Amino acid sequence: MGTDGDHLYDRRVPDATDQVKEACGVFGLRAPGHPVSHLTYLGLYALQHRGQESAGMAVGDGTRIVVDKDKGLVAGIFDTHRLGALVGHVAIGHTRYSTTGANTWANAQPVLRAVGDVQFALAHNGNLVNTAELVREANLPVGEVTSDTDLVAALLAADIADTPAAGTGTDLLVEALGRVLPRLRGAFSLVLVDGDRLIGVRDPNGFRPLFLGRLADGWVLASETPALDIVGADLVREIEPGELCVIDVDGPRSTHPFPAERIDPRFCVFEFVYFARPDGQFRGRNVHRARQRMGELLAEQAPVDADLVIPVPESGIPGAQGYARASGIPYADGLIKNRYIGRTFIAPTQELREQAVRIKLNPITENIVGQRLVVVEDSIVRATTLRETIRMLRRAGAAELHLRILSPPYRWSCFYGMDTTDRSRLVAATMSVDEIRD
């Protein structure tokens, strides 16, 4: 993520929160006769939590593809007029949190490419780890590509340009995918549209999620199952690690362009811990129930005599419910979250970071004064938010505080679509559990 390919990427401003950020959400559907731009809008709305910096969609009518994208939230970008201008029967959409590439309009997705008679748009969730190598191999000029998504599109376009069309029926885009995808390393769940078809790809490790859904007369791809629900699609299955799924007038057909030895499922556990909506599911498991189960197991592993169990909202709520149920300690709300601050509040100084936490969370003093509290949080990453949250509870009059964390210590950087590449900022990287407690 910007090692010896630094010209591709900016260095991000540290976030004021204690939470990691996820790369993106992707959505796509092929539904002739339906208002696909409006359905894509709904799908992106359901995936807004996966990225709040920019959003966009590409709509194809069989002849051309039109892209509309901008910085900001889905609801702030698209209105009736903009959606009405996007007419077609196949579409893809994207919500972005940038772990690589600056937060600019140019780096909003989807990206569009045209090579001869071939036109396609692409959106990406994840992060490549061999971008510098790929740029050198392709001999791309410095500055020509500004993100790993842009790089994939450039590689596909170059491959198509170098491949002579061998008569009618030659599928240049799918053939290019078959050659380019094995060269990619890292996390990538992709959705593409080429004017008439919808295409989905998942990397051979399956780091990032991608689901296939069925409409009465159409098909849907989405990062999470709630995006299927909101457009009325039934879940069919998860796209398999290493699968290339092409959806056309005859429905989906799949190939597996990666060598068998590269198929090694390594799903990101943080989807269950924090990223995903609680009403979603992965691998047949409901996220809300999985988080409750984490709390139940935590109560068995780390019991304590206390008066109340309270969550750090919102991702700590199911775990606190599970802890309370397994321990027999009553559950209560002790902190209220301001739902309008979002996940990306930036504060440049420590004083402002502490104020940002108070903007985000406020204590219910009546549930805290004199109480022995079990405080349940999903994870400790940088400890910025959590440290101030504990101070806040102490000032509110808690008699005792017993912190319980649902995930194991977060000790190592992730280079697959999370903004934790600077390991020095991970509190568990340099401290033991006892030191973190102190």
Side-chain angles (χ1 to χ4, degrees):
M1 294 183 61
T3 51
D4 49 317
D6 284 346
H7 62 276
L8 289 179
Y9 312 124
D10 70 333
R11 297 298 187 185
R12 295 196 51 75
V13 177
D15 195 285
T17 72
D18 186 35
Q19 300 292 357
V20 294
K21 298 296 183 295
E22 215 276 343
C24 304
V26 296
F27 182 86
L29 83 162
R30 188 183 190 279
H34 290 270
V36 297
S37 61
H38 292 77
L39 292 176
T40 301
Y41 171 88
L42 293 175
L44 294 181
Y45 205 87
L47 298 173
Q48 184 73 88
H49 60 289
R50 298 184 75 89
Q52 301 95 48
E53 292 186 354
S54 63
M57 65 178 74
V59 178
D61 62 4
T63 302
R64 64 172 187 156
I65 300 171
V66 177
V67 174
D68 191 358
K69 59 185 180 179
D70 212 336
K71 295 173 65 176
L73 301 177
V74 174
I77 296 171
F78 295 103
D79 55 23
T80 302
H81 174 74
R82 291 178 80 160
L83 292 175
L86 298 168
V87 179
H89 61 270
V90 61
I92 60 173
H94 187 268
T95 62
R96 184 172 194 253
Y97 175 80
S98 55
T99 53
T100 61
N103 177 27
T104 63
W105 181 91
N107 281 332
Q109 298 182 38
V111 298
L112 179 67
R113 289 289 186 278
V115 185
D117 295 333
V118 180
Q119 188 180 39
F120 68 91
L122 178 151
H124 171 209
N125 172 27
N127 204 66
L128 303 184
V129 297
N130 65 330
T131 51
E133 173 188 339
L134 291 170
V135 168
R136 286 194 299 268
E137 289 177 355
N139 197 29
L140 294 171
V142 172
E144 180 172 314
V145 294
T146 56
S147 70
D148 49 5
T149 310
D150 204 32
L151 174 59
V152 175
L155 293 174
L156 289 170
D159 187 279
I160 293 169
D162 292 341
T163 304
T168 59
T170 300
D171 194 335
L172 295 178
L173 178 58
V174 172
E175 290 178 0
L177 284 165
R179 289 185 289 268
V180 170
L181 290 174
R183 298 166 59 190
L184 308 181
R185 297 290 188 274
F188 47 96
S189 285
L190 309 175
V191 290
L192 302 93
V193 59
D194 69 353
D196 186 63
R197 298 173 306 176
L198 174 65
I199 300 172
V201 179
R202 200 170 177 200
D203 71 70
N205 297 108
F207 286 120
R208 298 292 161 208
L210 190 63
F211 291 89
L212 176 66
R214 183 74 163 102
L215 291 166
D217 49 0
W219 297 90
V220 183
L221 294 169
S223 292
E224 293 189 31
T225 58
L228 303 180
D229 299 335
I230 199 171
V231 298
D234 296 321
L235 173 63
V236 176
R237 61 179 176 86
E238 293 190 43
I239 297 297
E240 299 173 1
E243 180 179 353
L244 168 62
C245 180
V246 180
I247 301 170
D248 57 19
V249 66
D250 297 318
R253 57 182 173 86
S254 294
T255 60
H256 295 79
F258 299 92
E261 61 270 17
R262 283 193 61 190
I263 306 300
D264 184 19
R266 299 284 177 176
F267 186 64
C268 178
V269 71
F270 246 68
E271 295 285 355
F272 279 110
V273 173
Y274 174 69
F275 292 150
R277 280 177 48 151
D279 51 340
Q281 61 175 290
F282 299 110
R283 300 189 170 188
R285 294 179 180 270
N286 172 259
V287 174
H288 182 79
R289 179 62 190 126
R291 291 172 181 167
Q292 286 185 324
R293 183 61 178 148
M294 293 176 200
E296 292 169 357
L297 294 172
L298 192 56
E300 297 174 9
Q301 297 170 11
V304 65
D305 185 18
D307 301 314
L308 293 174
V309 178
I310 69 168
V312 178
E314 291 183 0
S315 50
I317 291 174
Q321 293 170 342
Y323 193 103
R325 180 162 55 225
S327 66
I329 302 171
Y331 171 94
D333 292 319
L335 295 164
I336 296 298
K337 181 180 179 180
N338 182 340
R339 299 177 185 273
Y340 301 97
I341 191 173
R343 286 185 173 181
T344 54
F345 187 90
I346 301 296
T349 68
Q350 182 61 33
E351 181 181 1
L352 287 175
R353 290 187 189 103
E354 294 176 3
Q355 291 177 359
V357 174
R358 291 192 289 272
I359 292 172
K360 185 176 182 180
L361 296 172
N362 201 52
I364 304 175
T365 304
E366 289 75 7
N367 288 350
I368 296 171
V369 172
Q371 300 294 306
R372 299 171 299 166
L373 302 178
V374 179
V375 182
V376 179
E377 171 66 302
D378 62 86
S379 60
I380 301 178
V381 181
R382 303 176 185 92
T384 303
T385 297
L386 198 54
R387 184 184 296 112
E388 181 58 26
T389 300
I390 295 302
R391 289 173 180 159
M392 183 188 302
L393 292 170
R394 291 191 187 281
R395 288 194 296 267
E400 295 178 7
L401 293 173
H402 303 275
L403 188 59
R404 295 294 181 267
I405 307 299
L406 298 177
S407 75
Y410 196 121
R411 293 195 171 107
W412 299 95
S413 299
C414 174
F415 300 94
Y416 300 105
M418 291 157 54
D419 63 345
T420 58
T421 53
D422 184 356
R423 187 168 179 251
S424 67
R425 298 182 63 224
L426 303 177
V427 67
T430 56
M431 294 185 182
S432 67
V433 173
D434 286 341
E435 289 170 331
I436 295 172
R437 178 188 297 116
D438 291 340

